[in-house]
Amino acid sequence: MALPLHLICSFDFHSLQFMKRIFLVFSIFLIVANAAIATHQRAAEITYRHIEGLTFEFTITMYTRTSSPADDTRTTMPIYWGDESGDEIPRIVFEEIPGIIDISLNVYRGLHTFPAPGTYTISVEDPNRNNGVVNIPNSVNVPMYIETSLTINPFLGYNNSVQLLNPPIDQGCVGKNYIHNPGAYDIDGDSLSYHLVICKGGGGFDIPGYTLPKTSDIFRMDSITGDLIWQTPVLQGEYNVAFIIEEWRHGFKIGAVRRDMQIEIVACDHDPPEIICIDDTCVMAGDTLLFDVIAIDPDGTHVELIAYGGPFEQNTNPAYISPDPATGNDTVLTTFHWETSCDHVRLEPYTVLFKATDNGFPINLVNFKTVFIKITAPAPENLEVEALGNGINLSWDQSLCENAIGYKIYRRSGASGWEPGHCETGVPYYTGFQHIGDVEGLNTLIFRDENIGGGLVHGIKYCYRVTAFFYDGAESFASNEACASLKKDVPIITHVSNDSLNLNSGNVLVIWSKPTELDTIQFPGPYKYLLYRNDGLIWDGSGEKIAEFIGLNDTIYMDQSVNLNTHDGPYSYRVDLESVTVGFIGSSQAAASIFVETKPSDSEVRLAWFPKVPWENEQYVVYRKDPGETTYDSIGFSTLPLYSDKAVRNEQNYCYYIKSIGHYSLAELFDPLINFSQLICETPFDNVPPCKPFLAVEPDCLEVANELIIKMPPDTVCDLFEDCDCDVSWFRIYYSPNQEQNLQLIDSVESQETDTTYYLHSNLESVVGCYAVSAVDSVGNTSELSDVVCLGYDACPPYELPNVFTPNGDNFNNLFVPKTGTSANPKANVDRIDMVIFNRWGKIMYTTEDPEINWDGKNQTNNADCAEGVYYYVCDVYIVTLSGIEKFNIRGAVTLIRGR
């Protein structure tokens, strides 16, 4: 039967009010109920392995409180894949941990196929942690949140996450050094780095009020070894800490695993064992690595020594220790054995972790020793080289490692005399060799060097090394060094220089060396040279023929048709050799004149030049003529084609030229080769901006203001920079209320005489916002912006409510206000609230949008005093964040007491 419209409306309104009250009460009940049945999470992590294509297998490993009822019921675990989808994956392992009271191991495993390449964050959130975690406020109501990142990139290859071989449940003693290592092993051989992070709770947010465990000295994590070091614990109790292990491949982060672990600290007076063994080492593939490891317990108790890490996980010839484990009283010894092979060669070293455990009371203490082992590949043997035409042919023997995928070719001018050191694979840059090419394939054992089609240079002795390389970028030791040079059967240009006898003329002196190994049968005489000139640094064609010489002995030419001092760039020259009877024989390499460019600055002139010559310039001499003088004097030397002259005054004109000193590596050629640049003049002036300032921002949470603290680098630091100085007159202030808006100029402040300048940004609606500053000098030069400094919601105390207040008129605790009300203004990081306070029967007593609340304990409807007792609240808090206004909900109870 249909109801009349007015009854429908009446029913809907009253029903809605009633249902809202019931929902509020029921929500409070659920909070308490969930806390009672789900207080079990102690530690967790997510790992994965690649199956095929875009499909991966994920494993959730959790350690829980055995006595919690939730342990029996969590047969599946919700997981979110980071691609807007999620699943419930089944538990495959559920067992108590032997020897540890009230801790169970839970393993969940499932497959997922991602829609496309990309970076995904896989996460799990499970309520709740176990009760009583010292460094997590109200841990019983804080969820366990873990996440793992996965990058699927076809160019980097598929990834498997690290596997953590050491469990995340551990124990330590008050006043004794504590160490933990996760025993991370990466099957792909990626580089690993470690760092501590804040434990996360609901929604993946940092847990409010979380602190690192208290220590009398340090609490840190070694970014390379992964050792978590706590020196020394102060208080007994259970602590949770979190860290991230990142995987890097070819300089790109390809994955990361977050571990949230629990450490129990108890009172005890014994010390952990000590471990003695070798430090990091390397071994050539095919050799056997043997070394002893000793564990000593300083208290003389029973000690156990075990090991784990990458070498023990290999499919072929895995490492082992003997005995395993090594056990005994006071002192034990085990021997590490590894019969290595080429299958073990990789770029990153392997990590071996030795763990010693004592038999102390009331807990067993442990210690760790990390050893990095590098497996190297033997060098390719019997490298030989032979000059032929304008190139050099290389050949060598096949690598002894059949898993090598190719060879790298290195070249330098002149012999190096270098021999690889112990563990020194590849060809280091300091040797002077340059990587010039790769040969793909194990069986390709030849390479021709023609300088990428440009031809090698006559007059240079070229020396080569070859290495084998592997799929992950690892290289073998370098081969023997082999050298060769092209036949001297063409002219070799040696000088393209401003006329040293008359630098003011700007004429170009061109000199070359005649061929001494000419094949006169193939190319009979008579002979002639043809000299070509090109306008510019790069030879862009055949050039313009400017002279012709009959015979081989005429090798000098003065080009009087050009003036380097007035031209806007360099000139390049090339000499061709012809047989009058046969025709073209060959050409010299092109060589360009030295062209200096100047850049004026504040009491400084910067000079730069761009040599383009076939020989090697070892040194440059800088000459300067001062204002009013008629001669040039040497003012400095440089091995690079640049020089900064700071011994000058602004608004004065200075003139310069450069002398280069070089050589070819063949002994029979003229040495040294001296060439001169054009003459050039410059006038310095102040165009240098101040250096980038440093900025810090301190919030005033009570007055809702921010103080900017501005500093310049010390003068000694500014002197190290060429593009800035510390001359500052004032600072410009830039501000944005969040990260979504651009910074805007809001004010400026004069630089104070002290090292620090302060600026107060007041009358704010919230302390949340971003700042930057720039420095301005007396002539208006402006620095780049400082680093942007942002204050988020957590810059001021979080929005927390007390659980009791006493509106009894004694002017103490009379109002229900946020906990921070006396030391900070809630409006410093809260925009507004939507709060409802009701009694245990669901009747609304008070509502407000004011973040300060200010409930005086009266019924808002009739202003009557509310009775003593427990009142419940539901509050939507609209916090100010760097991304804008965000809402979160808090629910709880407050006890109203009127007794005096």
Side-chain angles (χ1 to χ4, degrees), residues 271-313:
D271 293 304
E274 299 175 1
I275 302 176
I276 303 172
C277 72
I278 66 170
D279 292 324
D280 305 340
T281 187
C282 68
V283 60
M284 186 178 295
D287 293 342
T288 299
L289 178 62
L290 295 171
F291 60 86
D292 291 335
V293 186
I294 300 173
I296 304 172
D297 183 60
D299 301 300
T301 68
H302 184 87
V303 62
E304 178 183 82
L305 180 60
I306 62 174
Y308 39 81
F312 304 99
E313 306 295 326

Side-chain angles (χ1 to χ4, degrees), residues 3-17:
L3 294 174
L5 180 60
H6 70 280
L7 292 180
I8 295 176
C9 294
S10 175
F11 172 80
D12 284 347
F13 173 76
H14 291 291
S15 297
L16 180 62
Q17 295 299 312

